[in-house]
Amino acid sequence: MPDLSEYRQLAKDMSVDAVALVPGPNFTRAIGHAFMSHERPLVVVVPASGKPAAIVPNLELGSWDLVGFDGAVFDWRDQTGYDSAFAELAAHLPMATLAVEGQVMRVFVSKALTKALPNLQIVDAEREISGLRIIKTEDDIASLQAAIDISERALERVIADVRIGQTEKQIEQALIQALFAEGASSLAFSPIVAAGDNSAQPHGKARADYKIQSGDALLFDFGARKRGFAADITRTFFVGEVSDEGRAVYDTVLRANQTGFEACQPGVTAHDIDDAVINVLEASPYSDRIRTKTGHGLGRDVHEAPYIMRGNDQVIRAGMVWTNEPGLYDLGNFGVRIEDDVLVTEDGCRSLTSFPKDLRIIGR
């Protein structure tokens, strides 16, 4: 049976009548089961007092029984539509204010709520709802570590077979196969495998028509997902040889990455960490190649709070996990990014990633 007490308490703390969850990372964490987000609305409403209620598509009732949900359930069928289920919810819980996940709840679901409750005030509580999982538990960290270990083993397998003349797409497919072979439940996101000038695109897509050449930078940004948690790792290699410029840029990014670790400790802000990292890049001859912030939180979502960027005064606390991923990108030439997944500890931080970061030439 799901324990929804913290969402009930959140509703009280925010002085709203209830909190609503829809399929996504927060929903999965709260309910203990994953459900798809699609054209059929599924909503769980946790009031400040009393039992929760849920709107569930009729075809999902068999799966919903596995949840052990202790509350009212209003189901609906495709043939009749979901308006009646929302009307039943409104009669059961006549809410005036409802806190929702602003980055997850879709417009048509919010419209269905306000159609049933015309005077309903919907409050964006994305930060507060997601904030309930910003401090990772021991089980969360173990799942993250499992996803990271799988990812690192897969990367080592793939780079051992990289050869000049392969396409980015061929290497990408090898990486995907290796991730599943090493035990991934799914991909954290579509991996980035980018060589040469494509590596200068922070979110470049693998090309089927470009064959890697000697001297190319080859960037991997990828991760496995395990037990609902995502790894997010980036390493940049050079194929066959590396130019003096490539070596200098790589060393600059590595120093910035190391500075991120040194700046991380409980009590500092996300701004403080990013400022220390970006200062290293800005002081280099390559300051015009800065295109991204230092990083972001990591857990059930690949991108979540805290966002490691200047201007973000969110205080860093023990148990948070964030990505330390400085990079330099020269459009039309090449880019370098080095990314680690970092756990904030009581006295500093610890890297959950262990893949070596020394400059490495592969594919000889």
Side-chain angles (χ1 to χ4, degrees):
M1 181 183 301
D3 180 5
L4 301 175
S5 59
E6 59 185 348
Y7 300 96
R8 183 174 294 109
Q9 185 61 49
L10 180 60
K12 294 176 182 177
D13 293 344
M14 295 187 67
S15 299
V16 296
D17 292 329
V19 170
L21 298 172
V22 294
N26 293 316
F27 185 100
T28 301
R29 173 182 178 271
I31 300 301
H33 293 258
F35 285 82
M36 289 177 60
S37 178
H38 46 51
E39 78 279 8
R40 299 182 178 97
L42 196 168
V43 186
V44 170
V45 178
V46 184
S49 60
K51 290 186 176 183
I55 291 175
V56 181
N58 182 271
L59 61 82
E60 297 280 18
L61 286 180
S63 298
W64 190 253
D65 285 343
L66 301 176
V67 171
F69 185 75
D70 183 20
V73 176
F74 306 105
D75 70 296
W76 59 276
R77 297 174 181 270
D78 289 348
Q79 293 85 347
T80 54
Y82 48 75
D83 284 349
S84 61
F86 279 90
E88 289 179 282
L89 172 69
H92 181 74
L93 291 175
M95 303 168 286
T97 52
L98 179 66
V100 307
E101 305 166 84
Q103 293 181 19
V104 183
M105 180 170 280
R106 293 165 296 166
V107 173
F108 83 96
V109 178
S110 66
K111 284 188 173 181
L113 285 162
T114 54
K115 181 178 180 180
L117 292 159
N119 296 320
L120 180 66
Q121 179 186 359
I122 292 181
V123 178
D124 182 0
E126 175 69 37
R127 180 165 182 163
E128 290 81 1
I129 294 172
S130 294
L132 294 174
R133 59 185 171 89
I134 198 170
I135 303 300
K136 273 49 182 181
T137 66
E138 289 186 6
D139 285 346
D140 295 344
I141 295 166
S143 295
L144 277 165
Q145 189 67 70
I148 290 165
D149 292 346
I150 288 166
S151 304
E152 294 185 332
R153 292 195 303 268
L155 181 60
E156 193 63 63
R157 286 175 58 160
V158 170
I159 62 172
D161 292 332
V162 168
R163 297 291 182 268
I164 292 170
Q166 288 178 315
T167 67
E168 294 168 339
K169 185 60 74 172
Q170 287 173 326
I171 299 170
E172 177 194 63
Q173 291 302 308
L175 177 61
I176 291 171
Q177 291 171 10
L179 285 165
F180 284 109
E182 290 294 343
S185 302
S186 61
L187 302 177
F189 54 93
S190 296
I192 297 169
V193 176
D197 60 344
N198 200 23
S199 66
Q201 301 289 342
H203 288 160
K205 304 296 183 184
R207 300 171 292 189
D209 60 351
Y210 180 79
K211 296 180 179 180
I212 60 173
Q213 304 171 22
S214 182
D216 276 351
L218 180 58
L219 184 149
F220 294 82
D221 185 348
F222 71 106
R225 188 176 288 277
K226 191 70 173 178
R227 298 194 289 272
F229 285 80
D232 188 5
I233 302 170
T234 306
R235 290 293 185 267
T236 307
F237 306 96
F238 287 87
V239 180
E241 59 183 335
V242 59
S243 66
D244 291 342
E245 179 191 21
R247 189 178 297 277
V249 170
Y250 191 95
D251 288 346
T252 301
V253 173
L254 182 57
R255 281 193 291 109
N257 174 275
Q258 292 167 337
T259 298
F261 283 104
E262 295 164 3
C264 176
Q265 57 183 320
V268 304
T269 66
H271 168 96
D272 294 331
I273 297 173
D274 186 58
D275 193 55
V277 172
I278 299 300
N279 278 340
V280 174
L281 302 180
E282 288 178 337
S284 76
Y286 312 108
S287 59
D288 60 336
R289 304 185 185 188
I290 302 170
R291 303 190 184 280
T292 62
K293 61 182 180 289
T294 294
H296 52 81
L298 180 70
R300 292 181 180 271
D301 270 328
V302 178
H303 282 230
E304 59 184 46
Y307 297 96
I308 310 301
M309 59 188 294
R310 283 174 172 169
N312 183 4
D313 293 326
Q314 184 168 14
V315 175
I316 299 302
R317 297 155 57 199
M320 291 181 175
V321 175
W322 58 281
T323 64
N324 180 12
E325 51 177 309
L328 292 170
Y329 312 91
D330 186 17
L331 297 180
N333 190 8
F334 71 94
V336 171
R337 179 164 67 251
I338 302 170
E339 178 181 18
D340 293 305
D341 302 335
V342 182
L343 170 66
V344 184
T345 63
E346 294 292 343
D347 57 0
C349 66
R350 173 168 62 88
S351 180
L352 300 178
T353 46
S354 59
F355 199 96
K357 291 183 286 189
D358 292 338
L359 189 149
R360 189 165 173 179
I361 298 172
I362 63 174
R364 292 179 176 176

